[in-house]
Amino acid sequence: MRSQPNDSAQTAAPAEPELRALMGVFALYHFIEANLGKAALCEHLPHTERRIVVWLDHPKRLGTLARELNVLPSTMTSAADQLEALGLVERTRDPADRRAWLLGLTERGLQTRKEMVSLAQELLRDMLHLTEDELARFADISTKIHSNVQKLTSC
């Protein structure tokens, strides 16, 4: 049986929902970063490179990926070079536009992504005690947040 999180931390939270939301986002971000950074499969991957591996559910143009991750194109190129050197991604010509390149995961990259997704599932469900319903609602809200942030920012 899952243990319940300590409720005493909730009583110290500010009353404003915006501040409680920010506190939760910051806490989650640092929790995930700390645990992913300690995981053997990620210890050789810096933050941006980990984000790329997770985000590459299918091959994408570098420019598209840079916009989705809100990083500069030069940052994306450098990170892609590092991931390519590690054998996690490969560049292929875009069949829709032979001038453009797509970045896709190699078999090793696909396995790394699969392990990262599995770890994320463990962190969110088991360690943070989110039910399937809570996780689905959180995913919907997070997708909306990401979409709105993308509309407001660009690199």
Side-chain angles (χ1 to χ4, degrees):
M1 180 175 206
R2 291 182 179 177
S3 63
Q4 294 300 315
N6 185 347
D7 289 334
S8 65
Q10 292 178 351
T11 59
E16 299 89 351
E18 297 85 359
L19 293 180
R20 287 185 293 131
L22 284 176
M23 289 174 64
V25 167
F26 292 151
L28 178 62
Y29 173 80
H30 290 291
F31 177 78
I32 297 291
E33 274 301 301
N35 282 281
L36 280 177
K38 287 188 275 186
L41 67 123
C42 296
E43 64 187 2
H44 64 286
L45 290 178
H47 173 74
T48 300
E49 286 78 356
R50 285 196 303 263
R51 290 177 61 208
I52 292 169
V53 170
V54 168
W55 208 254
L56 273 177
D57 56 343
H58 64 278
K60 297 179 182 183
R61 288 186 182 188
L62 288 175
T64 300
L65 200 52
R67 280 188 303 280
E68 290 175 346
L69 295 175
N70 200 29
V71 299
L72 295 170
S74 59
T75 300
M76 183 58 60
T77 300
S78 175
D81 290 344
Q82 291 178 19
L83 288 169
E84 198 169 31
L86 291 169
L88 297 174
V89 300
E90 61 186 354
R91 289 178 172 99
T92 57
R93 290 281 185 192
D94 185 343
D97 180 354
R98 299 288 298 158
R99 297 169 296 171
W101 291 91
L102 296 174
L103 190 68
L105 295 173
T106 61
E107 285 301 318
R108 183 173 175 206
L110 288 168
Q111 184 59 38
T112 299
R113 184 180 187 279
K114 181 179 175 183
E115 291 170 15
M116 290 174 75
V117 168
S118 179
L119 178 58
Q121 289 170 331
E122 178 185 340
L123 292 172
L124 290 169
R125 287 192 180 120
D126 299 338
M127 295 178 81
L128 295 179
H129 306 282
L130 295 180
T131 65
E132 294 294 323
D133 221 25
E134 290 170 328
L135 187 55
R137 287 192 321 240
F138 180 67
D140 289 343
I141 291 168
S142 295
T143 300
K144 182 178 181 178
I145 290 168
H146 184 265
S147 176
N148 289 335
V149 168
Q150 290 300 300
K151 290 175 190 172
L152 296 171
T153 61
S154 65
C155 282

